[in-house]
Amino acid sequence: MSISEKIKVLRIEKGWSQKKLAEMLNVSSQAISNWERGQSYPDISNIIQLSDLFDVTLDELIKEDINFKEELIRKNLEKKISVVLSSIILIIFIGIFGYFTFNAIKRNFKEINYFALSVSFLGIIYFIKEIQRNN
């Protein structure tokens, strides 16, 4: 039985509506509907909460659903790739910022490329936030 089917069966066994379960998990009713129809999967924190609410083990909830396992692996891989790419771009922006800062210091701040410094500084801030968002 897939996780979507298990969520629906366990919810009905408890006598809960999709709306009630959504409120308990702090998600939308649409999210519950999507999970039960197999349109999307709950994230790992919601899986743990579902396990607790339904009083079943995580194994019972997800073990038989091969698609869910593959989806978790895919999401995890995408997250890792995103962090690596963001880190590489962050390093490039830090290098650009450092290069233009060094040149400004070397010339006693007589010739400063404000545009390059601004863009690289904003890039650094953006990618730091992107890395934090992915963690």
Side-chain angles (χ1 to χ4, degrees), residues 80-134:
K80 286 179 182 178
I81 289 170
S82 177
V83 168
V84 168
L85 290 176
S86 294
S87 298
I88 290 169
I89 293 171
L90 175 62
I91 290 167
I92 290 169
F93 275 114
I94 289 172
I96 292 169
F97 184 78
Y99 172 78
F100 284 105
T101 302
F102 176 75
N103 279 336
I105 292 170
K106 195 166 80 173
R107 294 188 174 102
N108 294 324
F109 296 97
K110 291 178 184 169
E111 296 176 27
I112 300 175
N113 189 334
Y114 291 106
F115 176 74
L117 284 173
S118 300
V119 169
S120 58
F121 183 71
L122 291 174
I124 290 168
I125 292 171
Y126 172 78
F127 284 103
I128 287 173
K129 288 186 179 213
E130 185 69 19
I131 290 170
Q132 287 173 342
R133 185 179 64 85
N134 285 323

Side-chain angles (χ1 to χ4, degrees), residues 38-100:
Q39 299 297 310
S40 65
Y41 292 105
D43 64 21
I44 193 67
S45 63
N46 285 323
I47 292 288
I48 293 168
Q49 284 182 291
L50 286 166
S51 170
D52 291 339
L53 289 171
F54 293 143
D55 197 29
V56 296
T57 66
L58 290 171
D59 266 1
E60 290 173 302
L61 200 55
I62 64 175
K63 194 168 189 175
E64 296 170 10
D65 194 336
I66 294 170
N67 291 333
F68 178 71
K69 290 178 191 176
E70 289 173 356
E71 180 73 10
L72 278 178
I73 291 168
R74 186 187 61 75
K75 281 184 180 179
N76 190 25
L77 182 60
E78 284 176 359
K79 186 176 180 179
K80 286 179 182 178
I81 289 170
S82 177
V83 168
V84 168
L85 290 176
S86 294
S87 298
I88 290 169
I89 293 171
L90 175 62
I91 290 167
I92 290 169
F93 275 114
I94 289 172
I96 292 169
F97 184 78
Y99 172 78
F100 284 105

Side-chain angles (χ1 to χ4, degrees), residues 9-23:
V9 166
L10 292 168
R11 177 184 59 78
I12 291 170
E13 282 178 7
K14 292 282 188 180
W16 296 336
S17 66
Q18 287 183 342
K19 184 177 180 180
K20 181 172 180 171
L21 182 58
E23 289 170 358

